[in-house]
Amino acid sequence: MSKKNKTEKKNIKKVQDIELNTDIIEETEDYNAEVSADMDDAAEDWEEDKDIPFLQRVKNRIRRAWAYSIHTWIFKCLLIALPLELLLEMLGRRSIFLGFKFMVTQPIVFAYNTSIVFFTLLFALFLKKRIFGLIAITTVWLACGIINFCVLSYRVTPFAAIDFLMFLDVFSMLDVYLTKFQQVLLLLAVIAAIVALVILFKKSPRFEGDRKVKGTMLLCVLAWIFVWGMTNFAVKHNIISDDFANLGNAYKDYGFAYCFTNSIIDNGIDKPDDYEEDVMLQIKSELETVKQEGKKQTPNVIVIQLETFFDPKAIVDLDMSQDPVPTYTKFKEEYPSGYLTVPALGAGTANTEFEVLTGFPSGFFGAGEYPYKTTVNEESVEGLCSALKAEGYGAYAIHNNKSSFYDRKNVYEKMGFDAFISLEYMYDLEFTSTGWAKDESLIADIMKCLKETEGQDLVYTISLQAHGKYPIGEDTCEEHISVTYGDDIEVQQQMTYYVNQLYEMDVFLDHLKKELDNYGEDYVLVLYGDHLPTIGLTEEQIPSHSLFQTEYVMVNNIGLKLEDEDILASELSVKLLDALNIEGTYAYKAHAYYDDDVLEDKLRLISYDMLFGDKYMFDNGIVLPVNEMQMGVDIISVTQVTNERDHMVIKGHNFTEYSVVYVGEKDLTTTYVDRQTLLVEGTLAEVGDEITVKQVDKSHHILGSSEVYVFQ
């Protein structure tokens, strides 16, 4: 074969190769997979752009950059992650400027948060519809950022994973925080987002090329190792922290992506490095040597957690026509009192409550976690209730809100309370303009509990009246006190509402003390606020104490002589039991036995052993005996059922507006008439019908039932 023929054949083969490659390119284009441009061609295109308008030139270059990186979707994920992280920080800070400031002043933290967002976007590469995957993941991040933006408009605590567990509770309170119009807009926005994602899923192109699942999986693993390594590096060098003493500040200092994902992963109490059976038995042996000295006193103990309560006279530039809390002011002058450091600001009531009732810091748990929702609703826990029950006390809990809020119904049962009077078992309630029950009616329930037993009682009560969100506008409350506060009229209206709620709560405290005095039994009345309100307060506006400090006072008629001191919420019950010379639980004894430098570590070990560990400190692994708590104190009963024309009349005792008539397992539309009468219209009882009256909350949970009444 001649040299010429060989050359021709070689050229033909090259042409065939080029044709084959062209076919592949065309096929790839048919599958909507763009091909990166040749560098020489790209250079020529850039020269041609010189005659194109500047904005069009920029668009062309962005498009080419996007196309050029098609073989490594990493670049696309990065292009999305950077602006998305910046937007999340803007939303979390409710400021465009502060978002940019975070990016510029804390570049390492910003880059770290971007890497977290970037890592999540990589999972879209496993999908055939990659564009849909990227948009869907981006939408989830944006939704969380927008929710955080909205949440911060009415509370200080940012949006965290625990809020998903609170969804039903929040949903039932939408009328408090959103107008009907806003609720409709929210519903339409959710529907629109779902519809848009469905349409996008159907219309988005499919990636028909080799998805290289193994390579993508390796990429995700490497990205995870990078994020994990960067996390450890940042924590070790104090760039970020995994201990969120203040969740609001943590989100600002460490970024939304890190803090939010940490709230998903970090739950419960981490196992201490030195948690072993011999260590726990040694702690048990040490604490069993703690004995109370002096004469034991066993008065009735009434503890009231006052919703968002503190003395507003501490606020700078707040002018009021009179002292809104004269009773509380007098109490502080006459009885032991001080500032109480709480773990919450503007929200998180249950964590303050947890600390007071158990003696454990809620900070042992995950970021933003509510132990009531994740742990104590399933695990028994020692505390004030069990300590006083060991002394023969009856134990009652009262809350003028629904029983399922913060899962209190289950929590109080696990703590050992004998009965729980919730909103569903209360009478003659009055409500604020925002829909919260006022506190005056709590007096009747407190006295009812004290009269229920012959001996001493613990009555733990959670107030509600000053709960936010604080309304804007005129005539939102009865104005007992005139308020002048700042130049912002809306903030002044909110403060006016808040201060006047405090005034009515103070009247409630005055009336309650008079009732207790007239009852004639020994008592200690412990009052404290759960957290400060969310009305834009800053440290400068309250120079006398921290934003994480409320106040407490121990009103009593037994002559308790205690020094005024500032304490932690986890120390309040310790102080109370110590004053009464009553032996407490292991947690309370630990407060007395250990020095401050080791106390936190010992409490962490005890709480872990009790709630998550092997319960080495407890005989047979039993923290508390099985407890069946009664809902309400008054027994609900049916005494008579009659048919009148087209409706059924049910007579009995202790009905409330939450009483529902059941025939067998079927619930009937029930009209509350009074405590002795219920009506069921359009239905008649038949011979043999088994009729009960059940207490049902707004979430359709059955809380209790009367005995069966058989219709004759």
Side-chain angles (χ1 to χ4, degrees):
M1 182 180 293
S2 67
K3 188 175 182 180
K4 180 179 180 181
N5 290 338
K6 288 181 179 179
T7 302
E8 288 176 349
K9 286 188 175 182
K10 189 174 182 180
N11 290 337
I12 290 171
K13 184 176 181 181
K14 286 182 178 179
V15 170
Q16 289 174 338
D17 288 343
I18 292 171
E19 290 175 350
L20 177 60
N21 289 337
T22 302
D23 291 340
I24 293 172
I25 291 172
E26 291 174 350
E27 182 178 355
T28 305
E29 289 176 339
D30 290 339
Y31 289 137
N32 296 291
E34 297 167 316
V35 180
S36 51
D38 182 85
M39 291 300 293
D40 294 333
D41 292 341
E44 292 177 4
D45 290 341
W46 284 62
E47 287 295 326
E48 293 175 2
D49 277 355
K50 290 181 178 179
D51 299 327
I52 299 175
F54 175 75
L55 289 178
Q56 185 60 44
R57 200 185 318 160
V58 171
K59 291 180 181 179
N60 290 344
R61 291 180 181 181
I62 292 175
R63 178 177 54 79
R64 288 173 189 145
W66 184 264
Y68 184 73
S69 63
I70 189 64
H71 294 305
T72 170
W73 282 70
I74 298 175
F75 185 64
K76 289 190 175 185
C77 292
L78 188 59
L79 281 181
I80 295 173
L82 280 167
L84 179 56
E85 163 57 17
L86 178 59
L87 182 56
L88 290 173
E89 299 306 332
M90 290 176 179
L91 290 169
R93 288 160 173 74
R94 300 175 65 82
S95 167
I96 295 175
F97 170 75
L98 292 178
F100 275 109
K101 182 181 178 182
F102 175 73
M103 179 179 67
V104 173
T105 59
Q106 296 180 268
I108 297 177
V109 180
F110 181 84
Y112 170 64
N113 279 269
T114 301
S115 70
I116 295 174
V117 176
F118 168 75
F119 170 70
T120 62
L121 290 169
L122 291 178
F123 286 91
L125 306 189
F126 287 102
L127 305 176
K128 288 186 176 181
K129 296 198 172 189
R130 290 181 171 180
I131 293 177
F132 168 77
L134 288 174
I135 294 177
I137 295 172
T138 300
T139 300
V140 171
W141 276 112
L142 274 179
C144 291
I146 292 171
I147 292 173
N148 187 44
F149 177 88
C150 296
V151 162
L152 290 174
S153 68
Y154 65 85
R155 77 182 196 194
V156 176
T157 307
F159 178 59
I162 191 66
D163 289 306
F164 289 116
L165 292 179
M166 297 292 294
F167 174 76
L168 291 178
D169 291 329
V170 173
F171 186 78
S172 67
M173 297 187 299
L174 279 181
D175 288 338
V176 175
Y177 296 104
L178 299 175
T179 65
K180 292 296 183 184
F181 178 70
Q182 290 172 327
Q183 292 179 42
V184 171
L185 287 181
L186 176 63
L187 178 61
L188 291 176
V190 171
I191 293 174
I194 294 174
V195 171
L197 286 174
V198 171
I199 294 174
L200 176 64
F201 179 79
K202 292 183 177 180
K203 298 293 185 181
S204 61
R206 295 168 62 88
F207 181 78
E208 300 292 350
D210 184 3
R211 285 180 293 150
K212 298 182 179 179
V213 175
K214 292 182 179 179
T216 301
M217 191 176 297
L218 177 62
L219 174 63
C220 288
V221 171
L222 292 175
W224 167 250
I225 292 174
F226 173 80
V227 172
W228 176 78
M230 196 169 180
T231 302
N232 289 335
F233 173 83
V235 171
K236 184 177 179 180
H237 291 81
N238 296 319
I239 298 172
I240 62 174
S241 174
D242 55 0
D243 183 12
F244 297 168
N246 182 327
L247 197 62
N249 289 341
Y251 271 66
K252 293 177 182 177
D253 294 338
Y254 313 136
F256 177 82
Y258 166 63
C259 291
F260 183 76
T261 52
N262 190 62
S263 73
I264 297 174
I265 299 170
D266 184 17
N267 288 295
I269 302 175
D270 293 334
K271 182 179 180 180
D273 293 336
D274 55 343
Y275 178 72
E276 299 288 348
E277 182 175 7
D278 58 342
V279 173
M280 300 313 301
L281 292 179
Q282 176 63 30
I283 293 175
K284 179 179 181 179
S285 176
E286 292 171 349
L287 296 183
E288 286 180 344
T289 65
V290 178
K291 302 295 181 181
Q292 287 290 342
E293 297 180 1
K295 183 180 179 181
K296 182 186 299 183
Q297 300 185 78
T298 55
N300 290 317
V301 175
I302 303 97
V303 181
I304 303 182
Q305 178 168 282
L306 296 163
E307 174 63 41
T308 324
F309 190 91
F310 85 119
D311 189 342
K313 296 192 294 294
I315 302 175
V316 174
D317 296 329
L318 174 61
D319 294 324
M320 300 171 287
S321 58
Q322 67 182 75
D323 182 358
V325 289
T327 301
Y328 198 78
T329 301
K330 183 179 179 182
F331 286 169
K332 289 189 294 181
E333 295 171 351
E334 297 179 354
Y335 302 103
S337 63
Y339 289 119
L340 186 73
T341 300
V342 297
L345 173 59
T349 295
N351 282 355
T352 302
E353 184 180 327
F354 170 80
E355 294 198 1
V356 170
L357 283 174
T358 66
F360 294 123
S362 58
F364 288 168
F365 293 78
E369 183 177 356
Y370 295 124
Y372 274 18
K373 296 290 291 185
T374 59
T375 306
V376 188
N377 56 348
E378 297 179 354
E379 293 288 337
S380 296
V381 59
E382 285 188 325
L384 180 62
C385 178
S386 57
L388 290 179
K389 285 189 72 173
E391 300 295 331
Y393 277 68
Y396 301 89
I398 302 173
H399 184 30
N400 49 358
N401 198 1
K402 63 179 185 178
S403 64
S404 61
F405 197 55
Y406 284 118
D407 214 2
R408 283 188 173 97
K409 178 180 181 294
N410 294 326
V411 169
Y412 292 153
E413 186 167 63
K414 291 297 182 180
M415 287 184 171
F417 281 95
D418 298 318
F420 175 26
I421 303 177
S422 62
L423 179 71
E424 295 86 1
Y425 288 84
M426 292 182 173
Y427 313 102
D428 304 324
L429 296 174
E430 293 185 27
F431 295 87
T432 66
S433 62
T434 55
W436 302 117
K438 292 188 175 184
D439 293 342
E440 185 71 20
S441 65
L442 292 172
I443 297 175
D445 291 308
I446 292 171
M447 300 310 297
K448 181 189 301 181
C449 293
L450 294 178
K451 296 172 183 178
E452 181 69 12
T453 61
E454 293 183 2
Q456 291 75 29
D457 298 296
L458 163 66
V459 183
Y460 183 76
T461 306
I462 307 97
S463 160
L464 190 64
Q465 183 164 348
H467 200 294
K469 176 179 181 183
Y470 305 111
I472 296 170
E474 302 290 342
D475 301 323
T476 59
C477 64
E478 184 178 351
E479 292 192 21
H480 310 279
I481 296 176
S482 299
V483 173
T484 303
Y485 182 60
D487 299 325
D488 190 324
I489 187 63
E490 291 187 349
V491 173
Q492 177 167 305
Q493 289 171 342
Q494 289 181 304
M495 187 62 77
T496 298
Y497 172 89
Y498 172 68
V499 167
N500 279 279
Q501 300 313 311
L502 293 182
Y503 172 86
E504 293 186 4
M505 294 171 72
D506 189 76
V507 172
F508 148 68
L509 296 179
D510 178 55
H511 292 170
L512 174 60
K513 184 178 184 303
K514 290 177 180 176
E515 286 284 343
L516 293 173
D517 289 337
N518 292 334
Y519 187 53
E521 292 187 359
D522 292 346
Y523 71 86
V524 175
L525 172 62
V526 181
L527 307 170
Y528 69 93
D530 58 350
H531 54 70
L532 297 194
T534 307
I535 315 181
L537 295 177
T538 63
E539 295 283 0
E540 291 74 22
Q541 291 172 295
I542 310 181
S544 60
H545 60 90
S546 162
L547 292 178
F548 284 85
Q549 285 182 312
T550 61
E551 296 174 286
Y552 76 91
V553 61
M554 294 184 175
V555 182
N556 67 91
N557 65 352
I558 59 174
L560 286 183
K561 301 297 183 182
L562 301 172
E563 292 185 3
D564 292 350
E565 62 176 332
D566 301 340
I567 59 176
L568 304 175
S570 57
E571 297 172 333
L572 183 58
S573 292
V574 178
K575 184 179 179 71
L576 170 64
L577 293 180
D578 186 58
L580 298 176
N581 289 309
I582 292 178
E583 187 172 313
T585 63
Y586 286 130
Y588 296 154
K589 290 180 178 180
H591 281 275
Y593 186 85
Y594 296 110
D595 295 332
D596 291 343
D597 56 342
V598 298
L599 175 60
E600 182 174 323
D601 291 336
K602 300 299 184 182
L603 286 174
R604 191 185 300 272
L605 282 163
I606 296 169
S607 58
Y608 180 83
D609 185 55
M610 183 187 303
L611 296 171
F612 301 95
D614 295 316
K615 299 176 176 52
Y616 294 128
M617 297 181 68
F618 302 93
D619 296 339
N620 301 318
I622 300 174
V623 177
L624 294 176
V626 176
N627 178 55
E628 292 187 9
M629 184 181 70
Q630 176 181 319
M631 288 301 300
V633 172
D634 296 328
I635 302 300
I636 296 175
S637 61
V638 177
T639 58
Q640 184 183 48
V641 177
T642 59
N643 291 325
E644 296 184 7
R645 296 188 297 277
D646 62 343
H647 58 269
M648 188 191 315
V649 179
I650 295 87
K651 291 288 186 178
H653 301 291
N654 304 316
F655 300 145
T656 75
E657 293 182 2
Y658 290 84
S659 297
V660 177
V661 177
Y662 276 68
V663 174
E665 298 300 319
K666 182 181 179 181
D667 59 310
L668 306 178
T669 302
T670 305
T671 301
Y672 172 78
V673 178
D674 54 41
R675 296 190 193 184
Q676 291 78 38
T677 312
L678 300 174
L679 293 182
V680 177
E681 297 185 358
T683 301
L684 298 176
E686 298 180 359
V687 175
D689 281 348
E690 295 185 344
I691 299 170
T692 54
V693 172
K694 300 181 180 181
Q695 298 303 104
V696 183
D697 67 13
K698 290 184 177 179
S699 300
H700 306 293
H701 298 127
I702 297 176
L703 307 176
S705 175
S706 68
E707 296 290 336
V708 175
Y709 178 93
V710 180
F711 183 72
Q712 301 295 337

